Amino acid sequence: MTPTRLPLALTTASIMLAGTLCAAGTAHADDDPSVPPGTEATASAPVEVDANDPDLKIPEGATLAEPKVLDIKQVVEDQSGEERREDTNADVKFALQAEVLFGKDSAKLSAESKARIAAIADEIRTQNATKVRVFGFTDNLGSSAHGDTLSRRRANAVHDILDTELNSPDITFEVRGYGEQYPIADNSSESGRKKNRRVEVSFPRNG
């Protein structure tokens, strides 16, 4: 008798982080920003699951759906933490610390920072992206109003370089300043605040 061969199904899944890309009506930061992708509200608390609940068991004769990859996130950060790249199946996002781009409490870009932004423009061009988000963030020091204004000015400065480098009427920009909202690190330490002072540039992957 010939032994029966069973196919091996490998399911790889991770949290889906791609957000809906919305184009802004103007190229500069809006006064009423939307929520950055990946920060939407979720359920307030997990639901307890009874492992013996018959509704959770596969009925006799039923089969599982075909396995599929939902999304895989890859993060690459330089040793100093000044620049980070995140790739998912849907999007590419660059995060640059403010100190790399600007002087203290400034929105004026240095020559070196313009070269970094030009490299991001090259990647946007490679991906044939037509919608680009540029979001500015600060730490929680100083007033909230000052942080909102500074983050908008910095996002606008990065946008201006990208727009000049790409020089394409087919690309739509969404440019916003969020101030101290949506921190990615603890604001109680300088190392954490340094990570929160950043500008993010994100766009869809090609295909």
Side-chain angles (χ1 to χ4, degrees), residues 10-182:
L10 176 62
T11 303
T12 305
S14 63
I15 301 175
M16 197 153 200
L17 299 176
T20 301
L21 182 61
C22 299
T26 62
H28 284 66
D30 292 347
D31 291 328
D32 184 21
S34 61
V35 178
T39 59
E40 296 84 355
T42 57
S44 59
V47 179
E48 291 189 8
V49 177
D50 181 3
N52 296 318
D53 190 330
D55 292 333
L56 297 179
K57 296 181 180 180
I58 301 176
E60 185 176 352
T63 58
L64 294 174
E66 288 295 321
K68 62 180 179 179
V69 175
L70 296 180
D71 206 359
I72 296 177
K73 181 177 180 179
Q74 180 181 13
V75 179
V76 178
E77 187 175 83
D78 63 15
Q79 191 170 9
S80 63
E82 294 178 344
E83 183 173 340
R84 185 178 71 253
R85 172 175 174 156
E86 298 180 6
D87 286 84
T88 69
N89 292 347
D91 294 288
V92 178
K93 179 168 72 177
F94 289 89
L96 297 171
Q97 289 185 6
E99 280 80 355
V100 177
L101 303 173
F102 311 99
K104 184 177 181 180
D105 207 31
S106 170
K108 184 177 180 180
L109 290 162
S110 66
E112 180 183 353
S113 62
K114 291 179 182 179
R116 286 178 179 257
I117 297 169
I120 295 177
D122 287 340
E123 182 64 19
I124 294 172
R125 198 177 291 112
T126 297
Q127 297 294 340
N128 294 319
T130 57
K131 295 182 180 180
V132 180
R133 296 182 294 254
V134 185
F135 294 161
F137 304 86
T138 63
D139 58 28
N140 65 347
L141 298 182
S143 70
S144 176
H146 176 71
D148 291 345
T149 300
L150 180 60
S151 64
R152 284 198 300 268
R153 289 173 57 213
R154 287 176 167 175
N156 285 334
V158 172
H159 156 264
D160 290 345
I161 299 299
L162 288 173
D163 194 27
T164 300
E165 289 287 333
L166 293 167
N167 191 27
S168 173
D170 297 328
I171 297 179
T172 302
F173 289 88
E174 180 185 1
V175 188
R176 301 183 185 274
Y178 290 97
E180 64 187 56
Q181 298 182 73
Y182 311 109

